[in-house]
Amino acid sequence: MRHIIDLCDLTEKEFSDLYKLTTNIIDRPEGYTDACRGKVLGSLFYEPSTRTNLSFSTAMMRLGGSVVGFSDPGSSSTTKGETLKDTINMVSSYADLIVMRNPREGAAKAASLYSSVPVINAGDGGHLHPTQTLTDMVTILRYRGSADDMKIGLCGDLKYGRTVHSLLHFLERYHNVQIYLISPDVLALPDYMVQFLKAHNMPFCQARSIEEVLPELDVLYMTRIQRERFSSAQEYENLEGNYQLTAEKMKRAKRDMLVLHPLPRVDEIAQDVDDDPRAVYFRQARFGMFGRMALLLTLSKLPFVRAGYQDIGAHGVRCTNPKCITHSEAYLPLEGTAGARCPYCDAPLEAL
Ligand code: NCD
């Protein structure tokens, strides 16, 4: 365990140890107030964030460590034209751990090549968001004991929602998980994720409304329609307000169904659902902070080996994803064959 680009970077044993540590911290937080004393977290947020940014900072402070960084790229040297490589090289010579959110897909993986400390992906475009998955898993495991034998509905923006992509990646580890994909066609799961589900024999079906599948579900994972990822305002406005959960609809759900949401919520969950004991999204956000404490503590103790890289630039291929980090940071090593997955963002590669 070195960098956390995807939560699947952890082995089953490592994840189970991390979960155990998280529950110990939840139950006895006072035992950890000095656990990271003297450690510094470099926090690089190139994209807006409230929960992830604040919960990482709070997590480090609750462990007795401190935080440096920015939450607005306008206040970093990126505006002066500095490459990601140079920023990471520099910050990793100051800090003991780096947490980074970046709108470019594959940015965290790219950063990890140039870092002399562990890099934690706090979201790379629409790609992955492993610490949200940690948050989601801690919540599911705390309330259900296990993620096996579970019917989970994922509703809303399955196209741009990196939290959904990350969670589906991780659920591959569990048995008998049935997936219900609830979204309009334009926000359906990207093809590479559909291929992932098929390749791993994860049973899934598509639904056009929450009502259609609600009575079946053990967990309903709601997501926000991500306005910032649309190319036009009109495209967004056509969808806003669809796929909403209300107290009325909740009457048809199982008595112990859990409603999760990575937050921020806009109007996809009506305010009248908040008092329902099955609505656990605010508790989920708090569990996320404890999960991040466990992750920071674990990574800060592990021996670290810097990734080796020899190559510079692309060799015969390029990534087909226009949002991939390889398009803005041209020095990144990139090789492979046409049709293979991009090592940064998972999209297919094409011949140059
Ligand atoms: C999400 C994100 O940023 O991916 N929020 C979060 O990290 N808690 C989801 C979103 O922005 O809709």
Side-chain angles (χ1 to χ4, degrees), residues 73-272:
S75 58
S76 78
S77 288
T78 310
T79 49
K80 300 181 190 164
E82 187 174 54
T83 59
L84 181 63
K85 176 183 168 188
D86 288 359
T87 306
I88 294 298
N89 229 322
M90 184 207 68
V91 177
S92 69
S93 68
Y94 301 155
D96 301 290
L97 294 154
I98 290 179
V99 57
M100 184 179 86
R101 170 171 289 190
N102 192 291
R104 286 278 176 180
E105 294 170 12
K109 172 75 191 246
S112 74
L113 299 185
Y114 306 103
S115 179
S116 47
V117 300
V119 171
I120 304 171
N121 183 7
D124 57 333
H127 187 219
L128 294 169
H129 191 350
T131 62
Q132 182 60 49
T133 303
L134 173 61
T135 302
D136 304 339
M137 290 309 303
V138 170
T139 310
I140 292 172
L141 297 176
R142 273 298 267 200
Y143 286 111
R144 290 190 87 246
S146 160
D148 291 330
D149 305 310
M150 172 173 79
K151 292 184 176 173
I152 179 167
L154 299 130
C155 177
D157 194 342
L158 310 187
K159 182 174 180 185
Y160 299 107
R162 54 190 166 203
T163 64
V164 169
H165 307 159
S166 259
L167 181 58
L168 287 174
H169 255 222
F170 199 71
L171 287 176
E172 188 261 315
R173 297 191 174 185
Y174 295 89
H175 303 287
N176 192 24
V177 176
Q178 295 201 39
I179 296 155
Y180 298 72
L181 303 170
I182 315 163
S183 78
D185 279 348
V186 278
L187 293 180
L189 206 61
D191 187 56
Y192 81 91
M193 281 305 308
V194 173
Q195 297 311 326
F196 175 86
L197 298 182
K198 288 184 179 161
H200 293 87
N201 292 321
M202 297 168 74
F204 69 95
C205 65
Q206 262 138 347
R208 285 294 171 78
S209 70
I210 297 179
E211 288 99 313
E212 215 176 294
V213 293
L214 193 63
E216 307 270 327
L217 303 178
D218 301 305
V219 175
L220 174 58
Y221 193 89
M222 295 294 296
T223 62
R224 172 178 75 90
I225 306 270
Q226 301 203 2
R227 174 176 215 142
E228 68 276 23
R229 312 221 181 270
F230 281 86
S231 29
S232 83
Q234 189 57 46
E235 209 191 333
Y236 169 78
E237 276 149 26
N238 293 343
L239 290 160
E240 198 186 13
N242 283 354
Y243 300 84
Q244 198 194 31
L245 184 66
T246 59
E248 188 54 36
K249 288 181 193 166
M250 284 296 284
K251 288 182 185 159
R252 301 191 51 233
K254 285 185 186 166
R255 290 161 64 113
D256 59 352
M257 184 189 80
L258 299 173
V259 184
L260 271 67
H261 193 309
L263 303 176
R265 166 251 313 258
V266 187
D267 59 3
E268 60 280 1
I269 300 182
Q271 303 283 336
D272 62 8

